[in-house]
Amino acid sequence: MNILADVEDERALAMVLDEDPDVVAILSLQLHVLGLESRCYRRADALLAELDECAPQLVIMGLEFGAADGIELLRLLAEQRFAGWVLLLGGVERKISRIAERVGQTLGLQMLGSLDKPMRLAELRQRLDRLRPGGKPNTVPEDSPFFSADELESALQRRELTVHYQPQFELASGRLSGVEALVRWTHPEIGLIGPASFLPMLTAGQSRRLTCHVLEQALADARRWREQGVLLSLSVNVTADDLLESQLPQLTRHLVPGDSPLVILEITETAAMDDELLGSEIAARLHLSGMEVAVDDFGVGFSSLARLQMLPISEIKIDRSFVRHVKHESQDAAIVEAIALLGRRLGIRVVAEGIEELDCLPILARFGCTHVQGFGLSRPVPADEIPLLASDQSPIRARIAASGAPAGSTP
C-alpha cells in the first residue's frame, strides 16, 4: 500500500541528496515501493535551486557531500523556509547525526531522525509513518498570531488552563505508582494547546500563579482518586522562581501523611544547581512542608555531584535523550547505568522518562532504574481516566512482562 498517496493517487515528492550512486539507487526503489516519486542529486546547490519549484514533502540527505557539509545544508534549507520533512542518512558517527538533528530542530525544520546505511525498507517505512498521507506536514502559518500577555491572563482567570497526567509506573511490578501533572490550554477557539506554545510567553508572576493553580488542581484530582481507592504520588514541574513562591508550602500544609499524595516538585538539573545555598534552603523548607524535590532532565547539564549530595533530593529523572538510545548506543547506556548507580548509592528513586520502545525495559531494570514513564507505556490522560488505568493495569503489566523486565520490589 502506498502510504503517501492522496485521494487522487498523486505521488508525493522526495528529494534525495547523496554522493553514493548505490545509496541513491536503493533509496529511489524503496521510495517508489512506498508510494513516493523521487528526484536525486549529488550536489547541494542543484537541490536548492529546484527546491521552491518542486515543493517536495521530504528531503533525504547525507551529511557528507561535495564542498558543503550536511549541517550547512540544514541552515540553507531553513533560510529558504523549507516546510517539508528532513530525514538524515547515516554514514557518519552516530553522535554527529544526532547533533545535526538537533541543529535542524533548532532551526525550525521538521526532522525525522536518521536512517543507517544500508537502508532497510521496514525502517524507512517506519520513519515515513510520521508524514501525513498525500500532503505537506502541518506547520504553523508564518502570520499566525502569538498569544499576548493579556490573553494568557484571561486564560488564567477563566480557568482555561487544565491539567492532564502522564502516568508513571513502578518498573519491577508494573503498577501505576504516580502521575506527572502537565498543563494544557483549552482554548475556546483553537482547542487543546500544548505547553510549548504558551509557557515561554508567561511572565514570572504568571508562571508562579500557574504553578500554584496546577498544584491545586492536581491535589483536588488526587482527593477524588483517593475516594475511589487510588493513592498516587503527584509530580509538578516548577522553575527556580516558582520555588521562591511562599504559597507552595502552604498549599500542602493541610495534607495528612498516609492519606494524602506524596507531592514531588520537579526542577531541571541546571536550575537546581545554580545556587547551592539557595537551592538547599528551598529544598529543605519544601521537605519540611511534606513535599519532595526531584531533579528533572538529569544528565543534560553539568551538575556538581557534591551539590547533588548536599541537596535533599528524593528522585532523579534520566533525560529521554539517553533513554531513547540506551539499547543501541554504548555511551548512552553507560551514562544511564552510572546515573542509576548514583541514585542507588544515594538512596533515591531513579526514573527513566521518554520510554517509547518497551524492549529497553530489561536493560533499565538491570541498571537499577526504579520507575519508568513515556508514550510507549501510556500517553498523558485526563484526570477521570486515571482510576480506570489504576484498576485495570493488566495490559501495562503484561507489556512490561513481555519485554523481559524482571519482577521484584523497588524502593
Side-chain angles (χ1 to χ4, degrees), residues 10-15 37-41 46-59 80 82 136:
E10 182 178 316
R11 287 174 176 260
L13 175 64
M15 300 178 82
E37 178 187 350
S38 62
R39 293 194 181 186
C40 303
Y41 305 83
L47 182 150
L48 291 168
E50 299 182 8
L51 188 68
D52 290 337
E53 178 185 350
C54 296
Q57 282 74 31
L58 173 66
V59 168
Q80 291 195 212
F82 176 58
K136 293 183 179 180

Side-chain angles (χ1 to χ4, degrees), residues 293-366:
V293 177
V295 178
D296 196 11
D297 300 336
F298 192 85
V300 299
F302 297 93
S303 63
S304 163
L305 297 183
R307 289 184 182 183
L308 181 62
Q309 184 183 27
M310 292 297 296
L311 290 172
I313 299 297
S314 303
E315 176 180 293
I316 51 179
K317 302 186 78 172
I318 305 177
D319 186 71
R320 66 186 68 244
S321 63
F322 301 113
V323 176
R324 184 185 303 121
H325 303 286
V326 70
K327 188 176 179 183
H328 305 291
E329 294 289 337
S330 59
Q331 291 183 344
D332 288 359
I335 291 172
V336 172
E337 185 176 18
I339 295 174
L341 176 61
L342 174 66
R344 290 202 308 272
R345 293 290 175 87
L346 296 179
I348 57 182
R349 295 182 299 274
V350 179
V351 182
E353 57 183 350
I355 303 297
E356 296 179 0
E357 303 295 335
L358 300 189
D359 56 1
C360 71
L361 295 182
I363 298 175
L364 297 175
R366 186 170 72 249

Side-chain angles (χ1 to χ4, degrees), residues 126 131 201 233 276:
Q126 184 181 32
L131 277 70
M201 305 169 196
S233 64
E276 178 181 357

